[in-house]
Amino acid sequence: MTLTASWSGGGGGWSILVHGGAGHGAHQKGPETETGCRLAAQAAAELLGRGGSALDAVELAVKLLEDDPNYNAGTGASLTVEGRLELDASIMDGRTLALGAVCALSAFKNPVLVARKVLESGRHVLYAGAGADRFAREHGSFPVEENSMITDGARQRLAGYLVDLKSATEGAGTVGAIARDASGSVAAATSTGGLVGKQPGRVGDSPIAGAGTYADDTAGAVSSTGHGEGILRVALASSVIFALRAGSTPEQAASSALTMMQRRVASTGGLIVVDRAGRLAWARTTPSMAWAAVCDGATHSGG
């Protein structure tokens, strides 16, 4: 069964919606993950309320979630089977279709900030591994001590995976944000540590346009979460964008895309969506997904 919710903005104003990951684990439930989403959404809402751009808003929201150890992004991110960090992130501007992404990035505190620098540099869209590290250094970001970003929770999740390999199919708190600003532009950003116990070099959906992230002012913006392999196989974000262009509401587009993914590749996940009118929706086919939204000045949140 797909669970959904939606809100309609008034008069074409700004709106923001964030998620803290769709999945099955206990680490994705509880007041901490909902509170973190609410604080990130409210900070981004303050920026939008001052006339800030959707692109700056989603970058800020995801940065705050990367700094929160309760999520699988930045500090607290899931570990590879070798106990290392390999981080993925992307950010996209719906006004220009500019996109920046990194994957298999080492211990840089805020991968979304590196992705934003990729977007602004304009030459390439996606950097991987050692190339992503080098790009980050050359553009003013520097790695931190890896152990400073690895939490006890991440170590425990890896230990659990090594005992029961089935846990690798579960999401683990990927974070994302979508927004529409007062000028009518949309943006999306997503950040993750990927699957618990993933093989070194594995890349999921989060840094891939049309799978984990997409934004286009002619349709809307999307951030995905869940089983990355399944999301990649069905190009989940693209499915939502196509439905929005065809006239579906955000709620309809999100629900139908997740239902399709579950039917076609037996994968579960979650989505947050904003359309070009500023209407918001989330949907999930998992037991939990932390989220928070601010629309017309009112804050909504849940798990």
Side-chain angles (χ1 to χ4, degrees):
M1 180 177 68
T2 305
L3 299 179
T4 63
S6 63
W7 304 268
S8 295
W14 55 263
S15 53
I16 176 80
L17 174 57
V18 307
H19 71 73
H24 303 79
H27 54 277
Q28 293 162 304
K29 301 179 181 179
E32 297 86 359
T33 53
E34 183 179 338
T35 297
C37 285
R38 188 184 309 116
L39 292 173
Q42 289 172 339
E46 290 179 9
L47 187 156
L48 290 166
R50 297 193 303 267
S53 70
L55 190 65
D56 287 344
V58 297
E59 178 187 28
L60 174 60
V62 169
K63 176 187 180 296
L64 293 173
L65 294 170
E66 288 176 339
D67 289 339
D68 188 328
N70 288 301
Y71 303 100
N72 173 20
T75 299
S78 295
L79 303 174
T80 70
V81 72
E82 296 176 350
R84 304 298 300 275
L85 289 171
E86 292 189 359
L87 306 170
D88 302 338
S90 63
I91 186 168
M92 187 166 185
D93 184 350
R95 183 176 60 87
T96 63
L97 301 186
L99 171 69
V102 290
C103 60
L105 184 74
S106 66
F108 286 79
K109 185 172 175 60
N110 293 112
V112 72
L113 301 188
V114 182
R116 175 69 183 267
K117 290 176 181 178
V118 175
L119 181 153
E120 291 173 346
S121 75
R123 184 180 183 195
H124 300 311
V125 165
L126 174 64
Y127 287 84
D133 288 3
R134 179 175 178 176
F135 174 91
R137 290 174 183 270
E138 290 176 345
H139 289 78
S141 294
F142 299 95
V144 299
E145 173 60 38
E146 187 175 46
N147 283 335
S148 72
M149 295 179 65
I150 297 176
T151 62
D152 289 342
R155 292 188 179 95
Q156 290 166 7
R157 292 198 297 275
L158 178 60
Y161 163 76
L162 294 174
V163 171
D164 178 9
L165 302 186
K166 294 179 182 178
S167 65
T169 63
E170 297 184 358
T174 291
V175 304
I178 47 95
R180 180 190 188 274
D181 60 34
S183 73
S185 288
V186 298
T190 312
S191 181
T192 191
L195 289 179
V196 179
K198 66 184 181 180
Q199 291 296 320
R202 178 266 187 187
V203 176
D205 66 288
S206 295
I208 306 302
T213 308
Y214 205 78
D216 183 349
D217 280 5
T218 68
V222 186
S223 176
S224 309
T225 173
H227 186 217
E229 277 68 15
I231 293 170
L232 283 163
R233 289 164 69 191
V234 301
L236 189 65
S238 290
S239 295
V240 175
I241 293 295
F242 293 153
L244 292 175
R245 288 191 181 126
S248 294
T249 67
E251 186 173 12
Q252 290 167 341
S255 178
S256 62
L258 287 174
T259 299
M260 176 272 295
M261 181 172 73
Q262 194 165 32
R263 183 181 68 250
R264 292 286 287 132
V265 296
S267 291
T268 58
L271 288 166
I272 54 173
V273 183
V274 62
D275 70 3
R276 61 184 182 179
R279 296 179 297 179
L280 300 171
W282 64 259
R284 61 175 169 85
T285 49
T286 56
S288 63
M289 182 177 76
W291 60 271
V294 181
C295 185
D296 288 343
T299 301
H300 314 264
S301 64

